[in-house]
Amino acid sequence: QVELAMSGGGSVQAGGSLTLSCAASGPMRRRNCMGWVRKAPGKEGEGVAWINTAMNKPFYADSVKGRFTVSQDNANNTIYLQMSNLIPEDTAMYYCAAGSTCYSDFPHRPDRLPYRGQGTQVTVSS
C-alpha cells in the first residue's frame, strides 16, 4: 500500500510563495507518477502538477504553469510543490497523489492518481 505524508501549506497574501512536501512509501511500481490535486469549495478537483518519478519529467496544468514547480528528492522519496506568485484563486485543499502511470489528462482526471495524502489547506488573501 502507498502511504503519503504531507507537510506545508498555510496562509499567504497574493503574490507570496508556499512550498508543500510529500513523503511517499510503499511499492515503487504504484507511485511511478506523483502529483498534486487541489479542491476548492464548490469546484471540481483539479490536478495541478505531476511528475514521472522514473524520468524526473514534470507536467503542469495551464492554470499554474509558470508559477508552480513540482520536483522530487529520490533519496528521501519526497516530492515538492513550490508555489509562487500565488493568487486568491489558488485557495484550496491540496492533496499529494500517486499512481502507477502518468496521464496527460490528469488536470481533468485527478482520479488517475488514486492514492492520496491527508491534505493541507492553502489560503491566499488579496
Side-chain angles (χ1 to χ4, degrees), residues 33 47 50 59-62 101-109 112:
C33 189
W50 61 113
F59 306 90
Y60 301 95
D62 288 343
T101 305
C102 284
Y103 294 90
S104 60
D105 62 352
F106 177 63
H108 306 293
R109 289 287 308 276
R112 295 290 201 184

Side-chain angles (χ1 to χ4, degrees), residues 19-34:
T19 297
L20 308 181
S21 302
C22 175
S25 61
M28 191 64 206
R29 66 184 184 279
R30 296 184 180 177
R31 47 186 175 94
N32 285 326
C33 189
M34 294 187 66

Side-chain angles (χ1 to χ4, degrees), residues 2-121:
V2 174
E3 295 188 354
L4 304 171
M6 297 176 57
S7 61
S11 298
V12 67
Q13 288 192 325
S17 301
L18 285 172
T19 297
L20 308 181
S21 302
C22 175
S25 61
M28 191 64 206
R29 66 184 184 279
R30 296 184 180 177
R31 47 186 175 94
N32 285 326
C33 189
M34 294 187 66
W36 298 92
V37 175
R38 67 185 181 187
K39 180 72 169 67
K43 294 186 177 181
E44 296 289 326
E46 177 188 22
V48 296
W50 61 113
I51 184 166
N52 180 312
T53 56
M55 300 176 64
N56 195 25
K57 185 175 178 61
F59 306 90
Y60 301 95
D62 288 343
S63 58
V64 305
K65 199 171 293 183
R67 301 187 299 118
F68 290 13
T69 300
V70 60
S71 61
Q72 63 178 356
D73 177 356
N74 285 338
N76 293 304
N77 293 313
T78 299
I79 68 166
Y80 303 93
L81 184 68
Q82 295 173 280
M83 304 180 288
S84 61
N85 296 321
L86 285 160
I87 58 178
E89 290 76 13
D90 295 320
T91 295
M93 279 292 289
Y94 282 72
Y95 299 88
C96 178
S100 59
T101 305
C102 284
Y103 294 90
S104 60
D105 62 352
F106 177 63
H108 306 293
R109 289 287 308 276
D111 60 301
R112 295 290 201 184
L113 301 185
Y115 298 102
R116 287 283 185 276
Q118 75 272 25
T120 188
Q121 178 68 35

